[in-house]
Structures are given as C-alpha cells and as structure tokens.
Amino acid sequence: MKKKTLLLFLSAALACTMLTGCGGSSDDAAAPTVTDVSEGENTEEADEPTDAAEEEASAEEETREGMYRSELTNEWIDESLQNQRPVAIMVDNEKTALPHYGLNDADIVYEMMNSTANGEITRFMALFKDWGSIKQVGSIRSVRPTNFMIAPEYNAVVIHDGGPFYIDAYLKNPWVEHLSGGFARIKNGKFTEYVTTGEVEKRMKAAGYSTEYNDYAQGNHWLFASESNPVDLSEAADSKDCTLVDLPFDHNGSQLDYDAASNTYLYSEYGAKHVDPLDDNKQMAFTNVILQCAPVTQYDANGYMQFNILNS
C-alpha cells in the first residue's frame, strides 16, 4: 500500500481545537533540553558512544538494485524516476464531480478550503511522481493562489483548468509552471475534464517544460525516519491516540477513520466512503495525515481567498 500523505489546510479560526485534539498543540509540547558543552571542558563522556548510538551506526539501510526511495513517500520506486519532477493536479471536490478517478495512485493529496463561500467548499491538489503511469485523474478544475505557493515547494508542474484573475501575479513567477485546460473530455457527472494516459508528457513537451527537476528545485520536502531505526512517536509525552479526524468542512463533511488492520486512515466525505473506480473501488487511505493551520485572506464577496502560508 502506498505510504500516501494527506495534508489539510484549515483556517486558523476553525482548526486550533482540532489540532489540539488530534496531536497536541505546539504550545503544550515540552521544550527540548539543550546541553551546552563549552570549549575547553572535558568532553570524554559526551564523546563516548552510547549503546543506542553504536546500534544505530551498525544498522544498515536496505538497498534494492535499480530502485531508490521516493522523495515524496519514502517507498521504493524505479530509479529511472529519480530526477523526474512531479505534477500537482487540481481535482474538483463538489459532490457532482464524484466519483474521483485515480486519486488512490497519488503520492500526496492536499485538501484545502477553496472558497469561504458554499460551506467553505474544499478542493484537492494531488501530487504524482510517476505521472507516466496515469490512466485517468480528475475531474480537474480551476486553481487558486495558494496552490502556486505550495506546488513550487516540490518543483511540481500544476495541472488545472483556469482560475480567477487573482492567480495572474503568481503566474509571472519564474518558478511557477502550469498546464491549463485542453485535457481529455470523459462524460461523468457535471465536470468532464480528466488527465489521461500520455497527456502529461505531450503537454509538458509542447510547453517547453523540463520533465526533470530544474534550478528552482528546493531539495527534498520531507525528512523521513529511518526504517532500520524507527522512532516510536507514541512514546512522546504529548502524544494522543486518534481514531477519528473529524474535519470542520461543512460542505463535504470529510473525515478520516483509523483502520488498525491496515494501519491507515480511511477517507470519507458526503456521508460515504471515498472510493476509486480505477482501484477496484477501494477506499482512499493515508499512512500519514498532517493538519496545517493558517490564517485566511478573503479577496472579495464571492469567497475567493488564499491561505497565508509564507509565515512561521
């Protein structure tokens, strides 16, 4: 099963209580102990390796011929993909756009409020490293300024269909590359545009975009724990069991239920399991769930907005 990650952007006003309930707020976390060893002091005891340090040094990470660990998921994937940059596909999340196709193959999925109107409706941004294997993803929809702040963190090309004029300033940034509209039309509910087999490579070539990481790549987004020396987060003083993540999105009522059998969080919305027809109608599942709390700037009375994420 993919070690897929779900990231949820929530407005600060709505999210703070939930963040505390699911993982402990940062204010409650114990401060780390810092030991200062000044120059000239006897450091023999500090330099002497502990048993744990010796054990860690002796542990060897697994290697697999012709494969490497993905920088998005830490899973083993073909080494031919190592320098390939991902794409970030905007997926509509209105009920009339269901079912979604291909999301179970995404490496990372962002769900974020797309508008302060319509019950604070959300939209997905799904990142795919191996976009050459895409069969059908969507339906795709318009983009917002926040997405052009997040996608460059992965050096990802954003795939969408249009957007409000508020995105215009972001499109002028040299680190932003995107493909808008003109993808395959497949009859399915209200919205019918999908990314299908071969379209990404064709469109990137036509746009003159590099399919490999370019000069704006910032390096790996995540630092993964070692599988040979795993960290047990349940031992942290402020850790709490969490079997339900009940999200404050009135429009779709999305939630995640912990499944002990698979050790994943199963995603539901609109009162039903979220399934993927391209994956034998399996429910979308996540190994990692990260809740990100940020204030919102609303642009106008129509609900157009952005998250203020370029902050501490």
Side-chain angles (χ1 to χ4, degrees), residues 104 274-283:
N104 281 10
H274 185 284
V275 299
D276 187 344
L278 295 184
D279 191 24
D280 296 324
N281 285 316
K282 290 180 183 176
Q283 189 171 3

Side-chain angles (χ1 to χ4, degrees), residues 48-126:
E48 185 176 342
T50 63
D51 292 341
E54 289 177 341
E55 182 179 333
E56 182 173 350
S58 63
E60 292 186 6
E61 291 294 331
E62 180 187 1
T63 59
R64 297 187 187 182
E65 186 176 354
M67 305 186 81
Y68 87 104
R69 287 194 180 275
S70 166
E71 64 276 22
L72 298 189
T73 65
N74 205 42
E75 288 194 303
W76 290 102
I77 61 175
D78 195 283
E79 64 181 5
S80 65
L81 298 169
Q82 189 158 3
N83 292 322
Q84 181 167 291
R85 62 195 298 201
V87 296
I89 303 178
M90 298 302 303
V91 177
D92 185 71
N93 201 26
E94 290 190 37
K95 191 173 184 179
T96 51
L98 299 178
H100 292 129
Y101 284 75
L103 283 187
N104 281 10
D105 288 328
D107 295 303
I108 297 170
V109 176
Y110 282 82
E111 179 178 13
M112 66 186 76
M113 188 170 69
N114 188 60
S115 171
T116 59
N118 300 320
E120 299 186 340
I121 190 169
T122 67
R123 190 157 292 175
F124 293 128
M125 183 174 74

Side-chain angles (χ1 to χ4, degrees), residues 7 41 53 60 70 79 82 88 126 130 152 186-187 206 241 292 303:
L7 293 103
E41 291 185 2
E60 292 186 6
S70 166
E79 64 181 5
Q82 189 158 3
D130 186 11
I186 300 172
K187 188 176 181 180
D241 290 340
Q292 298 185 251

Side-chain angles (χ1 to χ4, degrees), residues 168-221:
D168 292 351
Y170 294 87
L171 298 180
K172 295 177 182 178
N173 291 324
W175 53 84
V176 169
E177 293 184 330
H178 70 113
L179 302 170
S180 177
F183 289 89
R185 292 287 178 173
I186 300 172
K187 188 176 181 180
N188 176 46
K190 181 179 178 181
F191 303 106
T192 62
E193 190 172 7
Y194 294 84
V195 178
T196 58
T197 304
E199 287 190 286
V200 174
E201 183 176 11
K202 181 180 178 181
R203 292 289 300 275
M204 288 182 69
K205 183 178 180 180
Y209 294 158
S210 172
T211 59
E212 297 186 343
Y213 287 116
N214 60 28
D215 292 341
Y216 294 105
Q218 300 177 23
N220 290 354
H221 192 283

Side-chain angles (χ1 to χ4, degrees), residues 16-70:
C16 294
T17 303
M18 184 178 64
L19 289 171
T20 303
C22 293
S25 73
S26 57
D27 292 338
D28 295 333
T33 301
V34 178
T35 302
D36 181 16
V37 181
S38 301
E39 185 177 352
E41 291 185 2
N42 186 344
T43 61
E44 286 184 8
E45 190 171 271
D47 291 337
E48 185 176 342
T50 63
D51 292 341
E54 289 177 341
E55 182 179 333
E56 182 173 350
S58 63
E60 292 186 6
E61 291 294 331
E62 180 187 1
T63 59
R64 297 187 187 182
E65 186 176 354
M67 305 186 81
Y68 87 104
R69 287 194 180 275
S70 166

